[in-house]
């Protein structure tokens, strides 16, 4: 048979002798156990399938002729039909549950959906197979599920009922097993059913048949998947170091012997053991040379994931995997030693505290050392170190996977040193400051910026802004002490009174004063005894031209400063009566008269015909004597001007302009 959804592997025929008495006792042992408990499935271990029908994936094709008596269709089958499906989210005909995914949840994997309604005693699947091993027991099985809803057929559906047959090619029934009625569960509840058979010394081809025993009436719908024929043999148990442990995680440097031990029930006349290993998580298996006893000691590995199992077969069938059974898989995972930098000699300084720095990237630590020292802190501190603390220390570090490393280091004690210094200096900007530190040893100031010499006890510092230095004192034994030195730099006093301004008599204007510096007091005065509020941007209303002076003084002694601004007061808006845009650089542009505290609402110029030749709302713009790029004629023009004061008062003016060249 060669079609995409039917996978069959036929092993070569092997001849072997088999004890008839042992076989009968073995079968009797299983037949005495209630079938309901085991769904008539083999209770020992199984081998790899020599036949496996998964119904494929992708586009569905009908089963080969003679494989089933049901008619092929797509989607939901009518009574007496089947389909190969993967995803029927709404079920079929309001009677079946949603049918999403096959038994093994393979991507796109198909199942066989059968509508057995009215099809009494029909063959669901018929397969002929040969090339089987001699005197070997095989299990013929399939996964089945009732796919009817709980309320299908008015709540009283005819339940699917199937029988598994293993027959001779002449139709003689060798063994059979009935599944019983498949119960309605309302879900895709896959259950494996099957039957087994032991081949004679000279095996002949077999017919594998699954028959539906449906009665007339509504119902009898079911799904089937993963039909297999597998070698069956004794029950195999494997222990690891005397325990049933099939998934072991270890760390490099483990001490357990890792002894695998296999035991199996009677059943094989002359059993042969072969231990196998896989380094690709079971995708492929290799025989372990010489590992043919019932126990096997796993060699030590630094880091790896290796799985182990045994292959068990009759000696006469040894080497033919189609006749063998396999044990439970034992997986051994060995994690590597976590990477780290071992600690070296560590120095402690007398009467000082010492912080122990652990190897990085671990989550738990256990420290031990001289004088009974113990700590589980990640970075413990030994306070007020004495000579009694000197000696050998260890740290046991535990990584994320539970793997541990043990480091040791020697702690030795040296005489200490102490630094003395002023930790705060305050100076005015631009003034240097003499720093000072005392103590036995050499000095290093960091950073070195703005220092006359960073390697002496008393450098001169001239920072531009507030700054912090660290000074480290190191004695001849290598013991250190340090201090933080802060310099507060007070900014010098800077003053601006703003630019001169122009206003009309009776209006107000804001002075644009600004002061910079640290802790500065300021004051406005005027030449005309105009009252000025003590804020940096006061509103003033001089009636004549007046000068205002802003004084500022540092309260920290870092200087004073002053600045003057003049307010020009005009009686009315002034507009020039003529301009000459002739390219000589004089009076080229006709501008609006600028007044501080006023917003330009409109400024427009018209020719003698009333046509507007220029307009703007920007006081910085002016007319250059052109319109749409063309120079305008010499003569009189009319302007219109509208201004608005910040206080709301409006000013409008209009007049005549003479354009000359």
């Amino acid at each position: 048979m060669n079609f995409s959804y039917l996978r069959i592997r036929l092993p070569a025929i092997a001849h072997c002798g088999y004890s008839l008495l042992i076989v009968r006792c073995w079968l009797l042992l299983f037949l005495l156990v209630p079938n309901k408990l085991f769904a008539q499935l083999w209770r020992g271990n199984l081998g790899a399938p020599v036949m496996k029908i998964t119904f494929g994936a992708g586009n569905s094709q009908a089963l080969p002729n003679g494989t089933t008596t049901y008619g092929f269709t797509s989607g939901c089958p009518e009574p007496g039909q089947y389909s190969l499906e993967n995803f029927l989210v709404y079920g079929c005909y309001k009677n079946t549950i949603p049918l999403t995914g096959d038994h093994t949840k393979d991507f796109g994997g198909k199942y066989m959906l059968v509508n057995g309604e009215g099809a009494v005693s029909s063959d669901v699947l018929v397969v002929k197979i040969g090339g089987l091993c001699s005197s070997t027991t095989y299990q013929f099985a399939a996964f089945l599920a009732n796919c009817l809803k709980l309320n299908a057929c008015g709540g009283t559906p005819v339940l699917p009922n199937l029988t598994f047959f293993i027959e001779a090619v002449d139709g003689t029934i060798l063994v059979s097993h009935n599944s019983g009625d498949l119960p309605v569960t309302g879900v895709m509840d896959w259950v494996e059913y099957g039957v087994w058979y032991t081949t004679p010394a000279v095996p002949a081809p077999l017919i594998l048949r699954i028959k539906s025993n449906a009665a007339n009436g509504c119902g009898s719908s079911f799904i089937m998947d993963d039909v297999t024929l597998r070698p069956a043999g004794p029950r195999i148990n494997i222990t690891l170091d005397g325990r049933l442990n099939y998934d072991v995680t270890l760390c490099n440097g483990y001490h357990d012997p890792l002894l695998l031990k296999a035991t199996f029930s009677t059943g094989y006349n002359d059993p042969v053991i072969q231990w196998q290993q896989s380094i690709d998580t079971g995708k492929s298996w290799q025989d372990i040379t010489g590992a043919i006893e019932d126990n096997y000691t796993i060699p030590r590995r630094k880091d790896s994931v290796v799985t182990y199992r045994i292959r068990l077969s009759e000696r006469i069938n040894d080497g033919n995997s189609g006749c063998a059974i396999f044990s439970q898989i034992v997986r051994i995972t060995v994690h590597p030693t976590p990477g780290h930098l071992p600690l070296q000699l560590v120095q402690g300084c007398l009467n000082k505290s010492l912080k122990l720095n652990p190897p990085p990237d671990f989550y738990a630590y256990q420290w031990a050392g001289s004088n009974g020292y113990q700590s589980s802190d990640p970075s413990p501190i030994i306070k007020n170190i004495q000579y009694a603390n000197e000696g050998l220390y260890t740290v046991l570090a535990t990584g994320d996977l539970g793997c541990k490393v043990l480091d040791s280091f020697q702690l030795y004690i040296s005489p200490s040193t102490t630094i003395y210094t002023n930790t705060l200096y305050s100076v005015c900007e631009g003034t240097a400051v003499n720093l000072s530190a005392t103590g036995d040893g050499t000095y290093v100031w960091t950073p070195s910026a703005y220092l006359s010499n960073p390697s002496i006890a008393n450098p001169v510092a001239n920072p531009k802004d507030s700054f912090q230095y660290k000074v480290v004192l190191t004695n001849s034994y290598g013991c250190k002490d340090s201090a933080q030195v802060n310099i507060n730099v007070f900014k010098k006093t800077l003053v601006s009174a703003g630019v001169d301004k122009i206003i009309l008599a009776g209006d107000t204007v804001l002075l644009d004063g600004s002061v910079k510096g640290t802790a500065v007091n300021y004051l406005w005065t005027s030449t005309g005894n105009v009252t000025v509020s003590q804020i940096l941007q006061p509103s003033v209303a001089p009636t004549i031209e007046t000068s205002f002076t802003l004084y500022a003084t540092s309260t920290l002694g870092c200087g004073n400063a002053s600045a003057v601004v003049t307010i020009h007061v005009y009686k009315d808006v002034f507009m020039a009566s003529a301009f000459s845009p002739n390219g000589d650089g004089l009076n080229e542009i006709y501008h609006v008269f600028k007044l501080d505290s006023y917003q330009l609402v409109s400024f427009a110029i018209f020719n003698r015909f009333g046509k507007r030749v220029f307009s703007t709302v920007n006081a910085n713009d002016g007319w250059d004597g052109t319109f749409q790029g063309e120079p305008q004629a010499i003569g009189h023009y009319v302007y219109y001007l509208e201004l608005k004061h910040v206080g709301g008062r409006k000013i409008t003016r209009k007049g005549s302009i003479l354009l000359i060249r």
Side-chain angles (χ1 to χ4, degrees), residues 327-550:
S327 69
Q328 170 80 354
I329 291 173
V330 177
R331 183 173 64 179
I332 308 295
T333 302
V334 181
H335 295 299
T337 301
H340 69 292
L341 296 175
L343 301 175
Q344 306 297 324
L345 291 175
V346 176
Q347 182 187 44
C349 298
L350 189 64
N351 299 319
K352 301 290 186 180
S353 294
L354 173 66
K355 181 179 180 181
L356 298 177
N357 295 315
D361 302 325
F362 292 85
Y363 74 85
Y365 302 88
Q366 184 60 51
W367 301 81
S370 297
N371 208 23
Y373 180 77
Q374 295 282 337
S375 178
S376 59
D377 290 339
S379 299
I381 297 175
I382 305 176
K383 298 182 179 180
N384 191 27
I385 287 182
Q386 302 300 309
Y387 288 113
N389 297 116
E390 196 170 58
L392 181 67
Y393 284 71
T394 61
V395 55
L396 183 64
T398 304
D400 290 337
L401 298 172
C403 296
K404 303 176 185 293
V405 294
L406 180 66
D407 275 349
S408 62
F409 60 93
Q410 185 72 28
L411 174 63
Y412 64 96
I413 310 301
S414 300
S416 60
T417 188
T418 302
I419 192 170
Y420 301 94
T421 184
N422 184 6
T423 59
L424 180 63
Y425 296 85
S426 297
V427 296
C428 294
E429 184 180 3
T431 303
V433 58
N434 292 318
L435 307 180
S436 177
T438 59
D440 180 26
T442 58
Y443 294 85
V444 175
W445 295 78
T446 55
S448 61
Y450 313 116
L451 291 177
S452 60
N453 188 339
S455 301
I456 61 176
N458 304 299
V460 176
N462 190 15
K464 307 300 182 184
D465 207 340
S466 295
F467 210 80
Q468 184 182 77
Y469 292 99
K470 180 181 180 180
V471 55
V472 178
L473 173 65
T474 306
N475 66 10
S476 58
Y477 298 97
C479 284
K480 302 177 184 291
D481 196 15
S482 64
Q484 300 287 346
V485 176
N486 294 284
I487 302 177
N488 286 339
V489 177
F490 302 139
K491 292 296 185 179
K492 63 183 179 181
T493 304
L494 298 174
V495 171
S496 173
V499 298
D500 292 351
K501 297 177 180 292
I502 300 174
I503 65 171
L504 296 179
D507 287 336
T508 60
V509 68
L510 286 176
L511 302 181
D512 296 326
S514 64
V515 173
K516 295 182 180 179
T518 305
V520 174
N521 290 337
Y522 54 86
L523 172 69
W524 283 99
T525 63
S526 68
T527 57
N529 296 321
V530 176
T531 301
V532 183
S533 59
Q534 297 309 305
I535 58 175
L536 284 175
Q537 288 85 34
S539 177
V540 297
T543 57
I544 60 174
E545 183 174 298
T546 303
S547 294
F548 294 86
T549 303
L550 178 60

Side-chain angles (χ1 to χ4, degrees), residues 236-239 259-263 272-277 285-298 307-312 327-328 330:
I236 305 173
N237 287 318
I238 293 183
T239 59
L259 176 64
L260 292 172
K261 175 74 173 178
T263 59
V272 175
I273 294 174
Q274 175 62 62
W275 289 93
Q276 296 183 316
Q277 70 176 17
W285 292 89
Q286 300 80 39
D287 291 348
I288 302 173
T289 303
I292 57 176
E293 303 295 333
D294 61 358
N295 60 74
Y296 173 68
T297 300
I298 299 175
T307 52
Y308 298 90
R309 71 180 184 183
I310 68 168
R311 183 182 71 233
L312 188 66
S327 69
Q328 170 80 354
V330 177

